[in-house]
Amino acid sequence: PLAKMAKHRPRARVKSKRHLQGIYFVLLYKLTGREDIVIGAPTAGRLHIELQKIIGMFLNTLAMRNFPAGDKPFRGFLKEVKAKVLETFANQDYQFDDLVAQLGIKSNGKRNPLFDVMFILQNHEKPGIRIPGLKLEFLELEHPTSKFDLCLYVEEVDQVITFTFTFRTRLCEPATIEIFIDYFKAILASVLRNPGQLVVELDIISQEKRANIISQLNM
């Protein structure tokens, strides 16, 4: 279950991870009304240079907690997101399983501990791998089952960003996710127009759709 947004060539001011993650937090705030939100974010786990060329899985999951209150200017909230990203990645060696155990959270096997939504940013080129006598190529793997209630996967290649939402079909219909995508794009456009707006003031309806609604009401 996935839904892809159209590819975008973003302006420089929204290219950083904290900008996109901040907009994702705002989307979740708009959908839930909650001002205390935790999302998951994976890290490669190769912080030390001696691990760079070792084959193996070092992936760790980080818990990002932020407070997208409606009365905060988005620009100010973005600074909070940046500080949280830096703080969390400074402690990325601390394993997620150890954090869950320390907090005394018991998993019931039906829900993920700490968070139900993910944000994944893939912002590196696929490296060329050459082995004498072998021809290697990358294969795109399909994931028929979503591990989280909602996940925003962001991939950047040649300064073009593609957004993909994966979701649990037992919780959401594809048509609902299409609406969420429209909300996300509207928030992004609203931030580009005026990043100093309060979080509560950021639009989730595009200007075009708003004009159509107003036009229909006036008929």
Side-chain angles (χ1 to χ4, degrees):
L2 58 83
K4 276 195 175 182
M5 292 173 58
K7 295 182 179 181
H8 295 273
R9 189 174 299 276
R11 302 183 188 182
R13 57 180 172 175
V14 296
K15 280 185 62 177
S16 71
K17 180 173 182 177
R18 66 180 184 274
H19 280 79
L20 297 173
Q21 192 177 103
I23 293 171
Y24 190 41
F25 269 107
V26 171
L27 172 66
L28 296 173
Y29 159 75
K30 296 286 188 179
L31 294 177
T32 66
R34 295 178 59 181
E35 297 183 345
D36 182 352
I37 298 175
V38 181
I39 68 174
T43 176
R46 297 177 181 270
L47 187 62
H48 306 289
I49 191 170
E50 58 269 20
L51 298 177
Q52 297 300 316
K53 296 184 178 181
I54 296 179
I55 296 176
M57 177 66 72
F58 297 91
L59 188 70
N60 188 25
T61 303
L62 308 178
M64 301 281 187
R65 184 183 186 187
N66 277 289
F67 305 89
D71 60 353
K72 293 180 179 179
F74 179 78
R75 186 181 283 114
F77 173 62
L78 201 58
K79 292 180 180 178
E80 296 178 12
V81 173
K82 176 183 178 180
K84 181 61 64 175
V85 168
L86 294 176
E87 177 186 358
T88 305
F89 272 85
N91 297 281
Q92 63 180 287
D93 281 341
Y94 195 86
Q95 293 299 303
F96 179 74
D97 290 342
D98 294 337
L99 175 61
V100 172
Q102 183 177 353
L103 294 175
I105 299 175
K106 295 182 179 180
S107 175
N108 59 12
K110 297 181 180 179
R111 301 195 68 84
N112 294 287
L114 291 182
F115 51 80
D116 296 302
V117 294
M118 284 282 288
F119 176 85
I120 301 175
L121 175 65
Q122 194 78 12
N123 60 350
H124 60 78
E125 300 290 340
K126 295 177 180 178
I129 301 177
R130 295 186 179 182
I131 299 178
L134 295 177
K135 179 181 178 181
L136 305 177
E137 62 182 25
F138 284 91
L139 296 178
E140 297 292 340
L141 296 179
E142 295 185 0
H143 302 282
T145 303
S146 177
K147 296 180 180 179
F148 300 92
D149 291 354
L150 185 68
C151 176
L152 175 56
Y153 184 90
V154 182
E155 185 174 18
E156 181 180 355
V157 179
D158 296 330
Q159 296 186 336
V160 175
I161 296 180
T162 301
F163 303 85
T164 304
F165 281 88
T166 63
F167 57 97
R168 291 190 189 276
T169 52
R170 64 179 176 82
L171 295 177
C172 294
E173 295 288 339
T176 302
I177 300 300
E178 293 292 341
I179 294 174
F180 291 174
I181 290 174
D182 287 342
Y183 289 169
F184 184 88
K185 292 194 291 186
I187 294 170
L188 176 59
S190 186
V191 166
L192 287 174
R193 288 195 301 270
N194 181 8
Q197 292 181 86
L198 298 181
V199 169
V200 72
E201 296 173 344
L202 293 171
D203 292 329
I204 62 171
I205 301 177
S206 67
Q207 291 183 331
E208 180 180 357
K209 285 191 175 182
R210 186 182 300 275
N212 288 337
I213 293 172
I214 295 174
S215 176
Q216 292 176 7
L217 290 175
N218 290 333
M219 290 179 64

